[in-house]
Amino acid sequence: MDSKEEILKRLAAGRPDETPYPETGFTPQRFDDPEAMFAERLEAAGGRAVVMQPSETLDEAVRRCYPEARTIVSAIPGLSVATMNPDRIEDPRELVDADLGVVTGAFGVAENGAVWIAQNIRHKALYFGATALMIVIPRDAIVATMHEAVLRPEVDDFGYGCFMSGPSKTADIEQALVFGAHGPMSVTVLLR
């Protein structure tokens, strides 16, 4: 018997007894007020949730949240304050450093403040290149957990999509937290 066979024989002899996997059942987390938890967790991630007022238009809500924005990029129908339509731009680099991008999201997740964004505009560069990003979601489209989120049909039907929770951030340089290092410096989720 050569050394290789000896080693393999000893490894086989030292194998532990097989044990069954533990039960995987669990009770999903629930929240008394998913909207409030979503807002709290989004704020913890550096973003903010804003509720659209009953008589407020989308234009008014955008201006209330970002009154100083000059370059507003959006393809949302009826948003008249938009100064640029991302679907009419040939070069996605033109979207970088826009003051504000206003996009739609499908739903929010209460446990972590994330929003599912499927690409419904020509260039996804707007999601990561604008200085500020406003994501508009239906107010009643908040699920409790990521377990529920990944079962939603929107997550299966897309070419590109991502969960976004707050602005980009990094703490890898001298362990100092920096917002906006790799994408938007601020993210606001408008609950419509």
Side-chain angles (χ1 to χ4, degrees), residues 45-123:
R48 68 179 172 155
V50 174
V51 176
M52 198 165 154
Q53 302 304 312
S55 62
E56 190 174 39
T57 67
L58 185 54
D59 284 340
E60 291 168 340
V62 168
R63 281 293 173 209
R64 174 169 56 102
C65 295
Y66 292 95
E68 304 297 320
R70 286 190 218 100
T71 308
I72 301 173
V73 183
S74 183
I76 296 177
L79 184 64
S80 62
V81 295
T83 59
M84 187 185 307
N85 185 327
D87 295 337
R88 295 190 183 129
I89 301 297
E90 290 298 320
D91 186 351
R93 291 176 290 188
E94 292 181 44
L95 301 172
V96 175
D97 295 329
D99 293 332
L100 176 64
V102 183
V103 299
T104 57
F107 60 89
V109 184
E111 78 173 337
N112 60 10
V115 176
W116 175 253
I117 303 171
Q119 184 177 350
N120 59 6
I121 57 176
R122 184 174 182 187
H123 304 291

Side-chain angles (χ1 to χ4, degrees), residues 19-36:
T19 56
Y21 288 112
E23 291 294 322
T24 58
F26 70 99
T27 303
Q29 192 172 16
R30 294 282 170 243
F31 303 103
D32 293 333
D33 187 349
E35 185 180 308

